[in-house]
Amino acid sequence: MVFSSIVFLFYFLPLFIAVFLLSGFSKNVLLIASLVFYGWGEPVFLPLVLAMIAINFLLGKAIERGLDKGDALYWVSLGVVVNLLPLAVFKYGTFLLGILGGLLGPLAAKFGLSPSIFVLKPLPLPLGISFYTFHSLSYLVDVYRRDVRAERSIRDLAVYVSMFPQLIAGPIIRYKTIAGELHKPLITVDRFATGISYFVIGLAQKVLIANTVAASADAIFALPPEQLSAPIAWLGIICYTLQIYFDFGGYSNMAIGLGFMIGFSYPLNFNYPYVSRSMTEFWHRWHISLSSWFRDYLYIPLGGNRVSPWRTYVNLWTVFLLCGLWHGASWNFVLWGAAHGGFLVLERCGFGRVISRVHPFLGHFYVMLAVMATWVLFRAETLESAGHYFSALIGLGGEMANVPPMHRFLGLDVIAALAAGAIGCGPYGNKLLSWLGSALRVGELQVGRLGGLAVLFGLVVLSLAGGAYNPFIYFRF
């Protein structure tokens, strides 16, 4: 079940809100609803989620006791291993075994062993495992650092880990961020109304922009190399650049909105990253909950920027290699992370000062070119297909006789979505809603803003009811 589906919008969410309100904001209702939400699409992996909750509950208490007894480091180390093990098996098992086969395959052949011993059939990936693993790890580490006390209620810890707004697609919420609200949710009419606003805007970003341009992006990236011309390749990567932002960003806004409705304040996850003028600024604005997680739980413990410059560069690059792997188990993601780490190291080496002195347009152009180029690695299925796509971008793609017509990928709906996406990459959409709210009001009621949200929701419903393309891109995370 995904937020941008008829089942969620018109069955699950209204029923949950009604029961949640009638129950007096019962955490039991929230927990049951969250488990139903997860089990709807991944019933076979629901026991794994429950088992990890129980294990982390016990580990949190053991770490807290260990702070007085002197063995807390042992327990937190055990917790890191236990939480990363399912992730390693389900997400990276096939990838790691393939690397091992490449290294040891020739040696195995000398002993008469079949190379097939290094072949593992890809395992189904538990939905949201990367997100709830990072939630659990941050909880255990924060207990170890004495930033929070270990949770006394296994139900409340289960609510924290499995809360359906953030369970399968983030943002990555730290326990200490919402610990107070976890024990006493803050629910008011104003916060509920704010939640509706966030949710509708995020839903429109996902359905009206991301889904629309996704159809063209997917079709273009699926073309064989001989049919891929430079104009079509550029259209494809522009569409994907908007798709991934409004899909991720839209889902995060929907999660933030749902959080407000049920009494929780989730942090902002995307802050107009495409307006950045350096890659360093980009990572202060893109997937903020993930980048700050890596900063606080990996980069700083490695020494951060408190060590020698070369160690800082190694730390930074290592973090982004792992950030790439977090997104998916393939060399494409490794290179994507390595490229972003390389840009940040380059800016720390002095290029950042150069960028800060040039005209803002040049800085923005550099960021968008770097981001779009690396999105090719992120989107392509293999390194070979990424290589073909890069060739097409610089005019070494297919011959014109084999190339499909541009209008096949650029209908009026895509043109409208591209225009809306270009506007929505900056704060202009929110400014328009705020202006409507201020210009058209009846007393304290912002009729203009409500009308704008109603129009957006109506367009979303019409799109979904018409069977519009509605991909779910988080199956790899």
Side-chain angles (χ1 to χ4, degrees):
M1 191 189 313
V2 296
F3 297 162
S4 56
S5 66
I6 293 295
V7 171
F8 180 84
L9 292 173
F10 291 100
Y11 297 96
F12 179 88
L13 184 58
L15 179 61
F16 162 71
I17 292 295
V19 176
F20 185 64
L21 294 177
L22 290 173
S23 68
F25 318 128
S26 168
K27 283 181 280 189
N28 292 328
V29 171
L30 176 55
L31 177 59
I32 293 170
S34 297
L35 297 178
V36 169
F37 177 84
Y38 189 85
W40 185 276
E42 293 279 7
V44 68
F45 290 119
L46 187 56
L48 174 64
V49 176
L50 295 173
M52 296 309 296
I53 290 170
I55 290 170
N56 284 301
F57 176 72
L58 297 174
L59 283 169
K61 297 179 73 172
I63 292 168
E64 190 171 64
R65 288 195 302 268
L67 291 172
D68 295 324
K69 296 170 61 177
D71 60 354
L73 181 60
Y74 164 77
W75 288 111
V76 75
S77 300
L78 178 63
V80 170
V81 172
V82 168
N83 278 280
L84 290 180
L85 188 59
L87 191 63
V89 171
F90 286 104
K91 189 168 185 175
Y92 304 109
T94 302
F95 179 62
L96 294 175
L97 201 60
I99 295 174
L100 189 64
L103 296 173
L104 301 181
L107 181 63
K110 290 183 178 180
F111 290 93
L113 298 175
S114 170
S116 63
I117 63 172
F118 297 108
V119 177
L120 176 67
K121 183 180 179 181
L123 298 172
L125 184 64
L127 193 61
I129 188 171
S130 296
F131 289 99
Y132 67 71
T133 297
F134 271 29
H135 287 137
S136 300
L137 286 173
S138 66
Y139 164 68
L140 296 181
V141 172
D142 286 347
V143 172
Y144 174 73
R145 293 175 174 175
R146 300 180 187 268
D147 290 340
V148 294
R149 295 190 64 192
E151 178 55 62
R152 267 50 184 172
S153 165
I154 190 171
R155 180 202 62 184
D156 286 358
L157 186 66
V159 168
Y160 160 66
V161 173
S162 68
M163 237 187 310
F164 74 86
Q166 47 80 45
L167 177 58
I168 63 173
I172 298 171
I173 311 298
R174 303 185 198 187
Y175 174 80
K176 64 182 179 182
T177 301
I178 62 169
E181 294 173 337
L182 188 63
H183 300 131
K184 191 176 180 181
L186 179 60
I187 302 175
T188 66
V189 173
D190 286 343
R191 283 171 61 85
F192 195 90
T194 299
I196 293 175
S197 181
Y198 266 102
F199 183 83
V200 172
I201 290 172
L203 183 64
Q205 289 174 323
K206 159 66 176 164
V207 175
L208 302 180
I209 300 177
N211 287 358
T212 303
V213 296
S216 293
D218 289 349
I220 291 171
F221 271 89
L223 288 174
E226 62 272 14
Q227 295 185 13
L228 197 57
S229 66
I232 289 178
W234 278 105
L235 175 62
I237 195 56
I238 289 171
C239 285
Y240 185 68
T241 298
L242 292 177
Q243 177 201 351
I244 195 166
Y245 171 50
F246 286 105
D247 206 306
F248 266 122
Y251 229 92
S252 289
N253 284 334
M254 285 188 275
I256 292 169
L258 290 169
F260 273 121
M261 292 183 210
I262 60 177
F264 296 91
S265 303
Y266 296 163
L268 184 69
N269 206 24
F270 291 84
N271 186 22
Y272 307 113
Y274 290 160
V275 305
S276 302
R277 297 173 185 174
S278 71
M279 293 301 286
T280 301
E281 182 186 359
F282 175 82
W283 277 103
H284 287 151
R285 293 173 173 273
W286 178 272
H287 211 327
I288 301 168
S289 64
L290 177 66
S291 58
S292 62
W293 194 100
F294 273 106
R295 179 197 65 208
D296 294 341
Y297 297 103
L298 187 59
Y299 178 68
I300 291 176
L302 285 173
N305 56 9
R306 303 185 309 275
V307 292
S308 63
W310 74 268
R311 278 283 307 279
T312 297
Y313 303 150
V314 170
N315 291 343
L316 195 57
W317 200 62
T318 300
V319 166
F320 273 88
L321 278 177
L322 294 175
C323 180
L325 268 176
W326 180 87
H327 285 88
S330 78
W331 287 112
N332 287 51
F333 291 110
V334 173
L335 289 180
W336 176 83
H340 276 269
F343 281 121
L344 266 65
V345 169
L346 185 64
E347 290 181 6
R348 276 184 175 267
C349 289
F351 186 63
R353 290 192 295 273
V354 175
I355 290 297
S356 67
R357 295 190 182 108
V358 302
H359 191 279
F361 173 79
L362 293 177
H364 181 66
F365 179 79
Y366 146 70
V367 169
M368 291 310 301
L369 189 63
V371 167
M372 291 168 69
T374 50
W375 281 145
V376 173
L377 290 169
F378 198 94
R379 175 59 181 81
E381 297 293 334
T382 63
L383 288 178
E384 182 182 13
S385 58
H388 290 310
Y389 206 95
F390 281 124
S391 296
L393 287 173
I394 61 174
L396 301 177
E399 298 180 4
M400 294 307 297
N402 300 321
V403 173
M406 180 70 78
H407 65 77
R408 173 176 161 186
F409 312 105
L410 195 60
L412 291 177
D413 58 336
V414 177
I415 293 173
L418 289 171
I423 295 171
C425 283
Y428 315 110
N430 277 332
K431 287 182 177 179
L432 176 60
L433 282 176
S434 297
W435 178 82
L436 285 173
S438 300
L440 303 173
R441 59 167 62 232
V442 178
E444 293 299 315
L445 188 63
Q446 296 188 357
V447 177
R449 185 177 182 87
L450 291 175
L453 293 173
V455 169
L456 288 178
F457 187 74
L459 291 173
V460 165
V461 172
L462 289 174
S463 178
L464 294 176
Y469 192 53
N470 190 23
F472 184 70
I473 66 174
Y474 308 97
F475 64 92
R476 295 184 293 190
F477 308 143

